[in-house]
Amino acid sequence: MPKSTKKKKDKAADFSKAKLKLGKGKQLANNAVDTSFKARSIALPSQSIAQGSSNAPTTKRRLTFENLISYLKHYNVSTRKDAIFGLRELLEENPHLLADHLTALVNGTVRVIGDEDASVRKALLGFFGWLLPRVPQSDLHPHAPILLLFTTSALTHIFPEIRIDAIRFLDIFLEHIPEIVIEGWARDNSGHGRRVLQGYLGVLSAGTAYGHDGDSGPVKATSTASVILSPGSKLVVLKSLATFLNRALAVKKQASQSSSSSSSTPTRFFASSFSSQSAFETFDSLLRPTLTDPTKTATRQWAEETDPTEDDFVGAFTLASSHIGDSWSLQDLTNVELPILGKDVDGGQSSTGVNAEYTHVLHLTKMLHATLVSTLLDCAPAVFSPSSSPPETELNMILTISDIARSLYGALLQDASTNVTPSYQVIEDLSSFLGHMSPYFPFVPSGSILAKRDIKIEQAFQDLNITYCELTSLLLLVSPTPEHVSTSRSSNGKRPASTPTHLTSLQVDRVHDYVVRLLRGEPPSGSVQATLPRPIAPSVYSALLPTIWALINHAALERSQDSESLLVAVIEHAIKVSSTSAVKIHTLDFLGRLILLNTTPEYRGPIRIEWDSEEGHKLSEWLLHLPKTVWELGSNNQASTEVIFRLLLRLRQRKFSLLCNEQTLGAIRSRLAPYFVINHPSRGKLPGPFAKLPPSPLRRLALDVGASLCPTSDGDAADLIAAIHEAVRDAGEGDYWVSVMRD
């Protein structure tokens, strides 16, 4: 019986269906075979069957250039960073690889600009800072578009730290390829500079969409950045933006001053006081050194016929190239000067895009005004606190925004070539910016008298003071216009009512007092620490000249005594400066032009020097010290010597009243004679500094001055003529001297 029951159960099991339980998968059959497998890829580039034996340069880790480029795409952060270090190691030991693999190197490294790891980006910043100075500019320019493409892309990255590092990459590119970075920055068409500028504004949350309506409508923010920048990060952005604007606006400045070198004395502030641009350019060339600068002396072989395709003339002379039988209308002859000045006949600018750039600078200034003011208000209390030392970050922040304001407002208010009347809003914005700085001016380091001096902080405060003075001079120079003053005085002899300058008398007086103290070597008012007088650097003196000019003009308009006190301080400083100082040539140029203004008919300004006044006597003393300066210079600084000789020659040619005075003229003759021959009491006659000059046109310029000072050979002129006769006999310039005296 039990056996029968077991057989029935076994038979039923063969045809029974297994019940599925909830949550259990389908069971595999007893005879199922597992066919799954796992595999991993192993990269062995050094054992590839496609790679033959080669002698390619490798690093210490036996990695070739191709290996390192491929590792830049590796998923591991350390591998990507080590690849950048390996590239530098490989290229330092094998410089010839740079020229052969530059394209592959740039294409491989640009993708790391936006890397999400900070250490990789830092390594790439160091690598680019080392690499770009070693690449010739001609080889680097073709790769600039892809470099800027990835950099501007990183400027819009979602992570703020990547955007800040992109700014640091721009700093490197602005140092080595600035003309590519700023290209098209003020044009509506696409350009690298346009995208870079939009990136700056986006990071600062100050960007607006550039529309065709220009200044109309409210400022609309386009930045998607919602992260507030830390002071250190904001300083990085503002410094880079200041460098960008200085580079971009320097192109415009160099175009308007293409005839003068970068180290010459600035003269742009004189332009608004002349009747026309051509009159200013003529005045600008009076004292400009050209004989001692080989880059400014252009010589050509004279030819009877000229080829217009080879000769480069200033301006377009359309009437001169027309047919002799053509008739000219009165309108054609009236506007003959406009094409030379780069203007259209209808009164507008030519197709140089000057007005378009002015509009873009105006729009950019309007956008950045709120950022500049807010940054100033945030940092000023900490920087100018009387009880503590200024924080370095906040101090540099104020210096940077002041530099940006000087670049923007200087381009709008100082450039007379645009012929565009500055808008009231620009003047109001600049007045507002200066109004927030004025309570702290003059800026002096805080602390006790016994505190240790920090030269770096003192220099920063001096730069800030100079910038404030420059911005103040811009407001002083925009109103009133010289033509208005000249016309009003010529008609009724009275000074016209002053146009609002948006500056208080207290602001002007403080700037005047600071400039006078600086020229005299005294510390600024309010300074706690007693400082020794320090000589003024050439860059500081050049930056002060627009302020000095503006203050003298303002005092002349107001008929104030401040003009005399400031001019006396300028002259005393010019006399006191050593002849070997680098500032000497700037003092010679500025004071020489100030004297020449009174002999220039096209000058329309209010400055008229009264030679019976204190400033007139000081200028006479300065003129009498010029022969001594020439003697001390010798053959060392030929540019300064040329400026002095040109000034004396121009004044003599224009029959300057002071040089027509026999007493002054005799004093200059007697002091100039030792320059040619020295009468030593025991050694007799010795050659003067004239003999040390190399054979050059400067020698003949000195002889021209001597001939102009000696129209006759009697009286005081006899000693000078005898000295020149003795000098030219030994120098081989006798024939030229005879011809000059004959004429």
Side-chain angles (χ1 to χ4, degrees):
M1 190 68 182
K3 186 176 180 182
S4 175
T5 303
K6 183 178 179 182
K7 287 183 179 181
K8 288 180 180 181
K9 289 182 179 180
D10 293 340
K11 186 181 293 186
D14 293 337
F15 300 96
S16 63
K17 185 177 181 181
K19 294 182 180 181
L20 298 178
K21 294 183 179 180
L22 185 62
K24 299 292 185 178
K26 184 180 180 180
Q27 296 182 358
L28 297 177
N30 295 333
N31 59 349
V33 179
D34 185 11
T35 59
S36 62
F37 64 92
K38 296 180 180 179
R40 291 185 179 181
S41 60
I42 302 176
L44 298 174
S46 60
Q47 299 182 14
S48 175
I49 59 175
Q51 179 181 4
S53 59
S54 62
N55 296 324
T58 60
T59 62
K60 295 179 180 179
R61 300 176 62 182
R62 307 181 69 176
L63 297 175
T64 62
F65 179 83
E66 289 77 10
N67 302 147
L68 296 172
I69 292 297
S70 65
Y71 286 164
L72 292 175
K73 305 176 184 178
H74 202 273
Y75 67 90
N76 187 271
V77 172
S78 300
T79 304
R80 296 197 302 271
K81 183 173 63 175
D82 292 341
I84 296 174
F85 293 145
L87 285 172
R88 178 168 180 175
E89 175 191 345
L90 185 65
L91 295 176
E92 280 181 342
E93 297 179 356
N94 305 276
H96 64 278
L97 293 177
L98 190 57
D100 299 335
H101 300 85
L102 183 60
T103 301
L105 179 64
V106 172
N107 293 337
T109 53
V110 291
R111 290 171 172 80
V112 193
I113 291 178
D115 196 280
E116 295 186 359
D117 187 80
S119 62
V120 177
R121 297 193 304 272
K122 183 178 180 181
L124 186 62
L125 281 168
F127 178 69
F128 275 171
W130 170 86
L131 174 67
L132 296 188
R134 289 165 173 76
V135 180
Q137 293 289 321
S138 57
D139 296 340
L140 190 59
H141 283 180
H143 303 285
I146 191 172
L147 288 170
L148 294 175
L149 177 63
F150 279 86
T151 305
T152 52
S153 176
L155 283 174
T156 60
H157 202 277
I158 189 174
F159 295 139
E161 58 270 13
I162 296 181
R163 296 198 295 266
I164 300 302
D165 281 341
I167 297 293
R168 294 188 173 97
F169 282 107
L170 282 178
D171 290 338
I172 298 177
F173 300 150
L174 281 171
E175 182 180 357
H176 298 96
I177 48 173
E179 62 279 0
I180 306 296
V181 178
I182 66 175
E183 181 183 7
W185 75 280
R187 293 198 297 266
D188 290 331
N189 56 352
S190 60
H192 303 299
R194 190 73 166 179
R195 294 194 299 270
V196 170
L197 183 58
Q198 289 176 348
Y200 282 125
L201 299 178
V203 175
L204 289 173
S205 299
T208 62
Y210 282 97
H212 297 287
D213 53 351
D215 299 328
S216 61
V219 179
K220 300 178 181 179
T222 59
S223 173
T224 58
S226 59
V227 179
I228 299 177
L229 297 176
S230 64
S233 299
K234 192 173 184 179
L235 178 60
V236 172
V237 181
L238 290 174
K239 274 189 174 182
S240 184
L241 177 60
T243 305
F244 179 87
L245 292 175
N246 286 334
R247 294 282 189 177
L249 296 173
V251 175
K252 181 180 179 181
K253 187 184 299 184
Q254 291 172 1
S256 62
Q257 288 188 326
S258 57
S259 57
S260 60
S261 62
S262 59
S263 60
S264 61
T265 307
T267 57
R268 291 178 62 201
F269 49 86
F270 287 109
S272 60
S273 300
F274 284 83
S275 58
S276 64
Q277 182 69 15
S278 60
F280 164 69
E281 291 175 356
T282 303
F283 173 80
D284 185 38
S285 62
L286 291 177
L287 299 182
R288 188 186 312 127
T290 58
L291 303 178
T292 54
D293 190 352
T295 62
K296 300 293 184 297
T297 305
T299 59
R300 294 184 182 178
Q301 186 69 27
W302 180 86
E304 185 175 356
E305 298 293 336
T306 181
D307 186 1
T309 61
E310 295 180 359
D311 289 336
D312 183 18
F313 295 104
V314 178
F317 303 91
T318 55
L319 299 181
S321 60
S322 59
H323 192 269
I324 192 173
D326 296 342
S327 60
W328 301 324
S329 64
L330 181 61
Q331 184 69 18
D332 295 335
L333 297 177
T334 303
N335 297 320
V336 68
E337 189 185 18
L338 295 180
I340 303 175
L341 299 180
K343 305 173 186 176
D344 291 337
V345 177
D346 59 357
Q349 292 291 331
S350 60
S351 57
T352 56
V354 176
N355 284 339
E357 181 175 341
Y358 181 90
T359 303
H360 283 290
V361 175
L362 182 63
H363 189 47
L364 179 62
T365 306
K366 179 181 177 181
M367 289 187 297
L368 289 175
H369 174 70
T371 302
L372 299 180
V373 172
S374 63
T375 305
L376 175 63
L377 295 177
D378 291 340
C379 300
V383 172
F384 304 120
S385 174
S387 59
S388 60
S389 299
E392 183 178 1
T393 302
E394 282 74 9
L395 176 59
N396 290 330
M397 196 103 68
I398 292 183
L399 281 172
T400 304
I401 62 173
S402 302
D403 190 19
I404 294 174
R406 177 176 53 186
S407 300
L408 293 175
Y409 291 108
L412 294 175
L413 301 178
Q414 193 177 20
D415 191 3
S417 63
T418 58
N419 291 328
V420 179
T421 304
S423 65
Y424 183 80
Q425 186 62 41
V426 173
I427 299 176
E428 280 290 325
D429 290 345
L430 179 55
S431 302
S432 172
F433 184 76
L434 287 176
H436 293 295
M437 298 180 68
S438 297
Y440 307 103
F441 182 82
F443 313 109
V444 293
S446 59
S448 62
I449 301 178
L450 301 178
K452 184 179 180 180
R453 294 177 54 188
D454 192 335
I455 302 299
K456 185 178 180 181
I457 293 180
E458 290 183 4
Q459 184 63 42
F461 274 93
Q462 186 187 57
D463 295 342
L464 192 58
N465 283 320
I466 298 299
T467 304
Y468 179 88
C469 292
E470 288 187 76
L471 294 175
T472 304
S473 68
L474 293 177
L475 285 182
L476 287 176
L477 290 175
V478 293
S479 175
T481 59
E483 290 85 1
H484 182 226
V485 175
S486 178
T487 304
S488 301
R489 284 187 172 177
S490 61
S491 60
N492 52 24
K494 297 181 180 180
R495 182 176 59 88
S498 299
T499 308
T501 59
H502 301 82
L503 285 172
T504 63
S505 58
L506 181 60
Q507 288 177 290
V508 179
D509 292 342
R510 284 182 176 180
V511 173
H512 176 273
D513 180 70
Y514 173 78
V515 174
V516 171
R517 286 175 173 270
L518 185 62
L519 291 172
R520 292 175 178 172
E522 301 174 0
S525 59
S527 179
V528 179
Q529 298 177 349
T531 58
L532 297 176
R534 290 190 299 172
I536 301 178
S539 58
V540 174
Y541 190 85
S542 298
L544 273 180
L545 289 181
T547 305
I548 296 174
W549 172 254
L551 291 173
I552 295 176
N553 270 277
H554 178 73
L557 288 172
E558 300 293 335
R559 296 183 178 179
S560 172
Q561 297 297 325
D562 292 341
S563 173
E564 294 186 6
S565 61
L566 176 59
L567 188 54
V568 168
V570 173
I571 299 171
E572 290 177 348
H573 171 265
I575 297 175
K576 184 175 60 176
V577 170
S578 172
S579 300
T580 57
S581 174
V583 184
K584 192 67 175 181
I585 188 172
H586 299 303
T587 63
L588 296 171
D589 192 283
F590 178 72
L591 288 178
R593 294 183 187 278
L594 204 62
I595 296 176
L596 286 174
L597 286 177
N598 293 267
T599 65
T600 305
E602 295 84 4
Y603 173 63
R604 297 292 184 266
I607 298 178
R608 295 293 183 269
I609 298 177
E610 300 293 339
W611 297 105
D612 294 335
S613 61
E614 181 184 2
E615 57 185 6
H617 293 307
K618 284 293 182 180
L619 277 176
S620 302
E621 180 183 352
W622 178 78
L623 279 175
L624 293 177
H625 105 290
L626 294 182
K628 176 186 175 182
T629 303
V630 172
W631 191 89
E632 292 176 347
L633 288 172
S635 60
N636 295 328
N637 193 342
Q638 298 182 23
S640 299
T641 303
E642 182 181 352
V643 170
I644 294 176
F645 283 148
R646 282 184 176 274
L647 174 61
L648 294 176
L649 184 61
R650 301 304 183 198
L651 293 177
R652 190 62 179 163
Q653 290 172 342
R654 299 185 177 200
K655 297 182 180 180
F656 180 54
S657 59
L658 200 60
L659 289 187
C660 293
N661 186 348
E662 288 299 328
Q663 182 179 0
T664 306
L665 187 59
I668 291 180
R669 288 170 180 166
S670 60
R671 299 182 185 195
L672 191 60
Y675 180 75
F676 296 94
V677 172
I678 304 173
N679 291 320
H680 197 272
S682 59
R683 300 174 60 183
K685 293 184 178 181
L686 300 175
F690 176 82
K692 299 179 182 180
L693 293 177
S696 64
L698 185 58
R699 277 188 173 184
R700 298 193 171 185
L701 179 61
L703 298 180
D704 292 339
V705 173
S708 65
L709 294 175
C710 302
T712 59
S713 58
D714 56 349
D716 297 331
D719 295 337
L720 179 59
I721 292 177
I724 295 177
H725 273 303
E726 188 76 21
V728 298
R729 185 178 58 187
D730 299 335
E733 297 287 351
D735 295 339
Y736 182 77
W737 170 249
V738 172
S739 65
V740 171
M741 290 299 294
R742 187 186 302 117
D743 296 337

